[in-house]
């Protein structure tokens, strides 16, 4: 069974000038343990596809399944719960909560899932150690560099042991050197068996992937 | 994890100003709650200072409201004392007496009292009038000051003055027995007290046994309202009012202050709602990217709503605490203004800091703070995740 | 009939106020009994006139009924034919009330003479207290409004951080941005002042309508004069501009990169 399956999905947006066809009948399946990169020029529909795969947007037609569960069959509450427990998200702009420490940011999804305090604290520390930031656990995002913030975001994404991690331009806001560090982290995640789907312009990141999917004008090229 | 309330620390100046605004609104609200309830409570407490729950006055008047008097006080008093529900009944007569001070004449307000059944003064020094002491005199501090008299001194008083002969009529000499605080006097009032029978004789009211007022204390467990009503029904030429009746009459006279208190209190709550709602809406807009990210990673709408509303509630609570302290200070200032009304008993207060008033104002503010968070919380929880993330990325 | 008319003609006349006439269903010509105490028999009198008493702020809350009799009739009713509460004295032209009162007081025994102005001032003390109270409430309201205004201005200006950053990036001067924000604050303050003035007139009209009906009086409870309007508008404009200037100054003093969120 695929971890995630997009079956003939389209996504249209109504704008003032007319309708924009962001996705035109895309079918994509990702198997457990795969590292898939979605590449393409700006406006090709990469991020839109990622959002559909993660259930944070709904297709205009077609459907998406996560571990065999159709997302269009779920209500908002169930879909939110599924994202919490089965998916991890990493965004270009990190979006950590500035009023929480690095440790608390990582704990947040576990707190939402109802994990007991002691257990979630221990796991959060372990995850920060995994991404190489244990010594920065008590620091707030404003005290961290861009690369460090992205590492915290990666740790947060892994909090509830997701079946699938989705990353949208994870090195987009980072310089080359820092981006290389994130690259190494993704390499490690993949080696440890994490299923990854990464949207990226970064050729190095795409080169690390086991499979690269190219998009143009809302369609898969291969 | 409380990220909502902790967000208040992100913009200290903004939060401080909002707290200041809420504090002033909260102070105003507290003052108005104190004003609306304090007036009647203060009045009732004043009426019950010595435990007398009923006042009998000439029909159509309130105590010392007019110069009218009741005839046949002795008979009425006996009727009252014969009622098994009545513990004490005493009469009071009010009149003006005059005293010479050098070349000038000083006019004093005289209370004719029955010391064994009085509810109108508290002894501060010296001794009270004894039964049968027809030459005894009690003075308030202002009266003692103007007469230069102390306990033991003699004071000559006249009931009326004859401008034609430049002389006094019905003069008598008294000995000051004690200094008292007249419970219903206004600040600086020059009041004296002498035996009722003596004042009646001096002012020509003895023949008809006239008094201004009868004060009645009922026995424990008796219903003062019922006692007053039954007396009223049997004696229609007088007005018998329990303290509750008097408070109701007083309420009409204080209508303006109660209405003002309601209006200003409501405005304070509206200001609080507006301020908290505006602040939260703007900060939610600024943080929309963070909030939809939380929604994307699986934080529920309910959690987002709880956090935003907690932020509003925390702001309101802190502002309310500051406002409580400020409100107590402004209440003293406003009370000092209003208690300078001419003729108002000195013991009266408009702003009474009662625990229930503070609790009511606090509860109203907390409800307001909660309501104020509804719209911004709804906005935050309902923001479209994908569209917002797209907008953030551009 | 003739005898009744003759008897009625001999009775003292009493003028009663309109409110009493309405509530007791009395008309001119009706016979009433007047007594100085509730327990005395009193004397009969004929309603000679119904009058509207002048609007007296001191009496509006007391809800008393007023009647007028000829002085000898009232004095007789009270059993004190030679006693009065006060004299009203009209002076010849050119005579100063203060000097006349001083001369009378020098001769006085058992009475005091006051110029009418002094009596008016003394009896207005109640309303002076109310005025002071209103002023105190107004001061508190102004302080609250000023804080609220500053807070809102700060929030609204801060919402435009990104716009301000972009303008600075493309070379727009601080002064220009400051001026634009100040102009916006001035417009908002002006519109707010005009709206507030309208609301004040409306609220004042409602207040007068309500209390005039409640107390059955022609007294004016809320009076908005041109000077009050001018003062209020000037104050609100000044507060609005000051708040806008403070908020704009804070924004324009911040480095563009910090405004952009990258500083």
């Amino acid at each position: 069974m695929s971890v995630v399956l997009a079956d003939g999905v389209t996504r249209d947006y109504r704008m003032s000038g007319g309708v924009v066809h962001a996705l035109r009948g895309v079918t994509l399946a990702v198997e457990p343990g795969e590292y898939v990169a979605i590449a393409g020029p700006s406006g090709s529909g990469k991020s839109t596809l990622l959002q559909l795969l993660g259930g944070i947007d709904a297709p205009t037609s077609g459907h998406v399944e996560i571990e065999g569960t159709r997302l269009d069959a779920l209500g908002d509450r169930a879909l939110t719960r599924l994202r919490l427990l089965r998916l991890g998200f990493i965004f270009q702009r990190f979006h950590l909560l500035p009023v929480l420490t690095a440790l608390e940011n990582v704990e947040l999804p576990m707190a939402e899932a109802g994990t007991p305090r002691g257990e979630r604290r221990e796991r959060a520390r372990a995850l920060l150690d995994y991404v190489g930031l244990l010594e920065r656990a008590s620091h707030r995002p404003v005290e961290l560099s861009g690369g460090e913030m992205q590492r915290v975001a990666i740790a947060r994404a892994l909090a509830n042991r997701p079946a699938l991690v989705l990353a949208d331009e994870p090195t987009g806001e980072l310089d080359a050197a820092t981006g290389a560090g994130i690259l190494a982290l993704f390499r490690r995640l993949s080696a440890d068996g994490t299923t990854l789907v990464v949207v990226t312009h970064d050729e190095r990141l795409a080169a690390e992937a086991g499979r690269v999917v190219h998009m143009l004008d809302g369609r898969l090229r291969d | 994890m409380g990220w909502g309330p902790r967000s208040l620390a992100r913009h200290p100046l903004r939060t401080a100003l909002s707290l200041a605004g809420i504090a002033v609104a909260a102070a105003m609200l507290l003052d108005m709650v104190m004003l609306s309830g304090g007036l009647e409570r203060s009045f009732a407490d004043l009426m019950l200072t010595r435990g007398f729950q009923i006042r009998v006055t000439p029909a159509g008047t309130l105590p010392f409201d007019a110069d009218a008097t009741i005839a046949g006080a002795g008979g009425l008093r006996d009727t009252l004392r014969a009622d098994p529900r009545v513990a004490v009944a005493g009469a009071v007569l009010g009149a003006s007496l005059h005293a010479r001070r050098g070349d000038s004449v000083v006019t004093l307000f005289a209370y004719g009292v029955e010391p064994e059944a009085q509810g109108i003064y508290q002894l501060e020094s010296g001794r009270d009038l004894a039964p049968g002491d027809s030459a005894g005199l009690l003075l308030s501090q202002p009266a003692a000051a103007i007469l230069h008299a102390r306990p033991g001194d003699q004071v000559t008083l006249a009931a009326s003055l004859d401008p034609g002969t430049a002389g006094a009529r019905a003069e008598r000499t008294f000995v000051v027995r004690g200094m008292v605080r007249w419970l219903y006097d206004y600040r600086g009032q020059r009041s004296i007290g002498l035996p009722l029978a003596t004042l009646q004789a001096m002012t020509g009211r003895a023949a008809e046994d006239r008094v201004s007022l009868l004060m009645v204390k009922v026995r424990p467990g008796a219903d003062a309202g019922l006692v007053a009503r039954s007396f009223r029904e049997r004696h229609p030429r007088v007005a018998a009012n329990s303290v509750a009746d008097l408070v109701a009459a007083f309420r009409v006279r204080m209508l303006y202050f109660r209405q003002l208190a309601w209006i200003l209190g409501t405005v304070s709550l509206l200001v609080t709602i507006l301020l908290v709602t505006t602040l939260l809406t703007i900060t939610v807009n600024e943080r929309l990217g963070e909030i939809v990210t939380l929604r994307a990673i699986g934080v529920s709408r309910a959690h987002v709503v709880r956090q935003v509303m907690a932020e509003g509630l925390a702001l309101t609570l802190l502002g309310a605490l500051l406002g409580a302290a400020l409100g107590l200070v402004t209440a003293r200032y406003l009370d000092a203004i209003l208690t300078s009304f001419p003729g108002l008993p000195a013991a009266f207060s408009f702003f009474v800091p009662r625990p229930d008033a503070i609790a009511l104002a606090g509860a109203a503010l907390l409800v307001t703070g909660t309501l104020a968070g509804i719209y911004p919380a709804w906005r935050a929880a309902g923001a479209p995740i994908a569209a917002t993330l797209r907008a953030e990325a551009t | 009939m003739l005898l009744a008319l003759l008897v009625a003609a001999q009775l003292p006349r009493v003028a009663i106020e309109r409110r009493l006439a309405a509530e007791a269903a009395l008309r001119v010509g009706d016979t009433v009994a007047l007594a100085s105490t509730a327990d005395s028999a009193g004397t009969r009198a004929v309603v000679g006139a119904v009058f509207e008493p002048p609007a007296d702020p001191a009496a509006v809350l007391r809800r008393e009924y007023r009647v007028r009799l000829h002085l000898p009739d009232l004095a007789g009713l009270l059993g004190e034919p030679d006693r009065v509460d006060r004299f009203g004295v009209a002076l010849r032209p050119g005579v100063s009330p203060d000097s006349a009162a001083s001369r009378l007081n020098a001769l006085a025994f058992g009475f005091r003479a006051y110029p009418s102005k002094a009596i008016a001032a003394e009896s207005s003390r109640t309303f002076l207290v109310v005025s002071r109270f209103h002023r105190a409430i107004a001061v508190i309201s102004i302080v609250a409004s000023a804080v609220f205004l500053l807070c809102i201005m700060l929030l609204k200006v801060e919402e435009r951080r990104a716009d301000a950053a972009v303008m600075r990036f493309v070379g727009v001067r601080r002064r220009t941005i400051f001026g634009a924000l100040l102009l916006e604050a001035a417009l908002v303050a002006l519109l707010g002042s005009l709206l507030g003035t309208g609301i004040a007139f409306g609220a004042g009209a409602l207040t007068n309508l309500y209390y005039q009906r409640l107390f059955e009086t022609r007294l004016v409870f809320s009076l908005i004069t041109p000077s009050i309007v001018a003062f209020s508008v000037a104050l609100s404009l000044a507060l609005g501009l000051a708040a806008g200037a403070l908020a704009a100054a804070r924004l324009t003093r911040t480095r563009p990169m910090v405004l952009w969120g990258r500083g």
Side-chain angles (χ1 to χ4, degrees), chain B residues 23-36 39 187 254 256-257 260-261 264-265 268 323-341 344 348-353, chain C residues 126 128-143:
Chain B
V24 178
M28 178 73 92
L29 175 67
L30 177 61
D31 287 351
M32 292 305 114
V33 171
M34 284 199 280
L35 180 63
S36 69
L39 289 170
R187 276 188 192 85
M254 292 290 118
Y256 168 71
F257 291 103
L260 182 71
L264 290 180
S268 302
L326 181 63
L328 292 173
V329 170
T330 50
R332 286 186 63 178
Y333 166 61
L334 292 172
D335 200 53
I337 293 174
L338 287 180
T339 50
S340 64
F341 268 124
L344 191 76
F348 191 75
S349 218
F350 282 79
F351 293 85
V352 181
Chain C
T126 301
L128 286 174
V129 171
V130 176
S131 284
R132 277 179 62 205
F133 178 68
H134 288 165
R135 228 180 345 264
I137 296 290
V139 167
I140 294 172
S141 303
I142 289 169
V143 169

Side-chain angles (χ1 to χ4, degrees), chain C residues 214-230:
Chain C
L214 182 68
F215 296 121
E216 295 174 81
T217 177
R218 295 185 317 273
L219 283 171
V220 173
F221 292 82
S222 168
L223 186 64
I224 301 178
T225 62
S227 63
I228 290 174
V229 173

Side-chain angles (χ1 to χ4, degrees), chain C residues 145-167:
Chain C
S145 305
V147 171
F148 183 57
L149 199 53
L150 187 58
C151 191
I152 295 293
M153 280 289 185
L154 206 68
L155 290 173
K156 295 305 292 176
V157 162
E158 291 233 321
E159 264 193 315
R160 320 270 279 286
R161 289 171 73 93
D163 297 341
V166 168
M167 283 198 277

Side-chain angles (χ1 to χ4, degrees), chain B residues 14 237 255-256 259 275, chain C residues 39 134 148 158 210-211 214:
Chain B
R14 183 191 291 186
R237 65 186 174 90
L255 177 69
Y256 168 71
Q259 289 178 334
L275 192 54
Chain C
D39 46 5
H134 288 165
F148 183 57
E158 291 233 321
Y210 174 72
Y211 283 111
L214 182 68

Side-chain angles (χ1 to χ4, degrees), chain A residues 13 51 56-57 76 80 83-84 89 91 93 95-100 104 107-109 111-112 140 156, chain B residues 1 3 6-7 10 289-290 293-301 303 306 385-387 389-390 392-394:
Chain A
Y13 299 109
Q51 287 170 355
I56 58 179
D57 199 4
D76 178 76
T80 304
R83 287 201 302 270
L84 180 69
F89 284 90
F91 297 99
R93 291 206 174 163
H95 285 313
L96 301 175
L97 286 185
V99 295
L100 302 181
E104 288 168 334
E107 281 188 66
L108 197 147
E112 184 68 9
R140 290 203 159 78
R156 181 178 68 183
Chain B
M1 308 210 58
W3 51 264
R6 284 159 75 170
S7 299
R10 282 171 79 167
E290 284 163 34
T293 300
L294 289 176
R295 291 278 296 124
I297 68 172
V299 170
S300 64
R301 279 188 216 269
H303 181 114
R306 276 199 305 273
I385 303 171
L389 287 172
R390 269 198 303 276
E392 289 276 309
T394 55

